[in-house]
């Protein structure tokens, strides 16, 4: 896909789109931001070929416009685009809620100007274009939300852009998207926020020293921008409330089992969760057929993770996933592999290089 792309909003996602699109499509990528400083920073970072200071001018010369502003600003941004976009201009967005946005975009742009809703399920803990990455969307899921009125050629072109940046696409109706992400994205943020609020109110400074890697992992998103999440919850309120109610009910069952000593019931809840977790793959669309974890004790020194992954790569061992539990002295690297034979080879290889390993079969 070649042509001219206009990215409106040059933060983390917009900047990453610019970097990836310039690399993969050969298109000229222009960018507009209400903050000229942000747009100039994106230009300096190589995310843009041109920083546009006048939105109308940028719209006039664009074949495809990607709206990457915060969720709460997307409808107003599209209203501004609607004043100047031609029938040949394709508009898409990256908002993490879709029902309200898609309906409003189709109303504002009308039947002749194509709109394709989108949501890349990718991000980092950082904010702004300084955290943008060329590979942010590689093997990430990018949900597209066509409706009965979506132009098929416009959908194809947006899909081509997205897959060209390395993402996998999934088509969902806007309301179905909002139902699913309320559970897998919005509810986890609410849980992370509640946990960190509870920890912060505890008042014991030793609590954060005692917190293990699992607590850090669960609460990672609690450091996100509160304004972003206010907009998300405001535009997906009904679905989020339903999932909060469902989670509250599940937590009540868990509490009841513990409080009343119903250990068999607790075992059943834990086993059901364990079984359900195996239903999603470690990466991409493929899950390991015979998942085995090799736990590697790692010292606190620079480059140790690179040493381990490089050694496994040179040994022809494919890593399905990795994660680290940190300790003051270093930590434990957990390497997910496919098959006992592969895990044994990995363990022997790493032990020959001085690492202590333990194999754990996933049940």
């Amino acid at each position: 896909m070649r042509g001219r792309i206009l990215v409106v909003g040059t933060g983390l996602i917009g900047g990453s789109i610019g970097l990836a699109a310039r690399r993969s499509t050969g298109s000229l990528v222009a960018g507009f931001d209400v903050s000229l400083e942000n747009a100039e920073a994106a230009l300096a970072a190589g995310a843009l070929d041109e920083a546009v200071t006048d939105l109308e001018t940028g719209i006039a010369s664009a074949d495809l416009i990607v709206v990457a502003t915060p969720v709460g600003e997307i409808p107003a941004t599209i209203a501004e685009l609607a004043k100047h976009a031609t029938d040949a201009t394709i508009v898409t967005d990256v908002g993490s809620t879709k029902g309200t946005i898609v309906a409003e975009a189709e109303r504002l742009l009308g039947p002749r100007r194509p709109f394709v809703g989108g949501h890349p399920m990718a991000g980092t803990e950082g904010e702004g274009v300084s955290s943008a990455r060329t590979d942010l969307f590689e093997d990430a899921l990018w949900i597209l939300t066509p409706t009965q009125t979506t132009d098929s050629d416009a959908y194809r072109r947006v899909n081509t852009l997205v897959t060209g940046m390395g993402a996998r696409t999934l088509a969902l109706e806007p309301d179905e998207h909002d139902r699913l992400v309320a559970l897998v994205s919005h509810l986890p943020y609410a849980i992370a926020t509640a946990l960190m609020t509870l920890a912060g109110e505890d008042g014991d400074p030793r609590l954060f020293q005692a917190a293990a890697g699992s607590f850090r992992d669960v609460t990672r998103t609690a450091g996100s921008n509160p304004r972003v999440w206010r907009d998300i919850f405001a535009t997906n309120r009904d679905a989020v409330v339903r999932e909060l109610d469902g989670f509250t009910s599940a937590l009540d069952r868990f509490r009841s089992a513990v409080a009343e000593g119903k250990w068999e019931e607790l075992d059943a809840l834990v086993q059901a969760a364990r079984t359900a977790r195996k239903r999603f793959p470690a990466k991409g669309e493929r899950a390991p057929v015979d998942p085995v974890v090799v736990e590697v004790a790692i010292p606190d020194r620079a480059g140790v993770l690179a040493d381990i992954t490089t050694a496994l790569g040179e040994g022809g061992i494919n890593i399905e996933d990795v994660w680290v539990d940190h300790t003051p002295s270093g930590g434990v690297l957990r390497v997910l592999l496919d098959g006992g034979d592969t895990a044994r080879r990995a363990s022997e290889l790493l032990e020959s290089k001085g690492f202590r390993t333990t194999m754990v079969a996933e049940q």
Side-chain angles (χ1 to χ4, degrees):
M1 174 182 174
R2 294 182 179 274
R4 184 179 175 94
I5 298 170
L6 174 65
V7 178
V8 182
T10 56
L12 167 63
I13 299 298
S16 296
I17 290 171
L19 289 168
R22 291 188 69 206
R23 179 199 64 184
S24 64
T25 68
S27 297
L28 187 148
V29 179
F32 173 84
D33 200 292
V34 291
S35 166
L36 180 58
E37 181 181 353
N38 289 348
E40 290 177 342
L43 181 64
L48 306 175
D49 294 289
E50 176 186 354
V52 177
T53 57
D54 176 64
L55 183 58
E56 181 178 354
T57 302
I59 295 169
S61 57
D63 303 304
L64 189 149
I65 301 173
V66 182
V67 180
T69 59
V71 170
E73 299 173 15
I74 290 176
T77 302
I78 293 177
E80 192 63 27
L81 297 179
K83 297 177 183 178
H84 311 291
T86 70
D87 292 356
T89 306
I90 297 171
V91 180
T92 186
D93 80 308
V94 297
S96 52
T97 63
K98 295 266 69 82
T100 300
I101 288 173
V102 172
E104 189 68 359
E106 290 185 339
R107 184 187 71 80
L108 290 165
L109 292 168
R112 293 187 315 226
R113 292 178 293 189
F115 175 80
V116 181
H119 175 201
M121 304 287 285
T124 70
E125 293 180 60
E127 297 179 16
V129 72
S130 61
S131 298
R133 290 170 24 198
T134 305
D135 65 349
L136 184 65
F137 309 113
E138 290 185 5
D139 204 33
L141 181 65
W142 195 307
I143 300 175
L144 298 178
T145 55
T147 68
Q148 292 183 344
T149 62
T150 300
D151 180 81
S152 59
D153 183 62
Y155 180 87
R156 179 186 60 78
R157 290 184 64 187
V158 172
N159 188 77
T160 298
L161 170 65
V162 168
T163 55
M165 292 190 290
R168 298 172 288 111
T169 57
L170 172 67
L172 293 173
E173 294 182 356
D175 289 343
E176 187 70 359
H177 164 277
D178 288 354
R179 181 186 71 82
L180 293 178
V181 298
L183 176 58
V184 302
S185 178
H186 305 163
L187 178 62
Y189 174 77
I191 295 170
T193 300
L195 280 173
M196 284 308 306
T197 300
L198 187 64
E201 291 174 347
D202 181 271
D204 188 338
R206 297 170 299 178
L207 186 148
F208 292 97
Q209 293 177 330
S214 58
F215 188 83
R216 290 177 180 271
D217 291 342
V218 170
T219 59
R220 178 183 59 82
T221 58
S224 302
N225 187 326
R227 173 58 190 272
V228 169
W229 282 98
R230 184 178 73 178
D231 290 344
I232 289 171
F233 290 139
T235 54
N236 200 24
R237 181 187 309 174
D238 291 344
V240 171
V241 169
R242 280 196 302 271
E243 299 307 329
L244 283 168
D245 288 342
F247 177 74
T248 300
S249 176
L251 199 59
D252 282 343
R253 293 198 305 273
F254 200 96
R255 182 194 182 283
S256 176
V258 174
E260 299 173 22
K262 298 177 180 178
W263 306 125
E264 290 186 1
E265 183 176 331
L266 181 66
D267 289 345
L269 289 171
V270 172
Q271 184 57 50
R274 188 176 186 180
T275 300
R277 195 176 191 280
K278 295 182 182 299
R279 294 176 60 184
F280 64 82
K283 65 178 185 179
E285 296 181 339
R286 175 189 173 276
V289 175
D290 179 20
V292 181
V293 172
V294 174
E295 298 180 346
V296 188
I298 52 175
D300 184 14
R301 66 171 173 83
V304 64
L305 298 183
D307 291 344
I308 293 171
T309 55
T310 299
L312 293 177
E314 291 177 347
I317 296 171
N318 184 55
I319 299 172
E320 299 293 331
D321 201 0
V322 295
W323 61 100
V324 179
D325 286 343
H326 295 280
T327 67
S329 61
V332 177
L333 175 68
R334 305 184 195 280
V335 184
L336 179 63
L337 304 169
D338 196 350
D341 290 342
T342 301
R344 277 185 287 274
R345 286 197 298 115
S347 183
E348 291 169 359
L349 174 61
L350 293 176
E351 289 190 353
S352 73
K353 295 183 178 295
F355 295 101
R356 290 186 293 109
T357 68
T358 304
M359 287 175 49
V360 182
E362 292 280 277
Q363 300 298 321

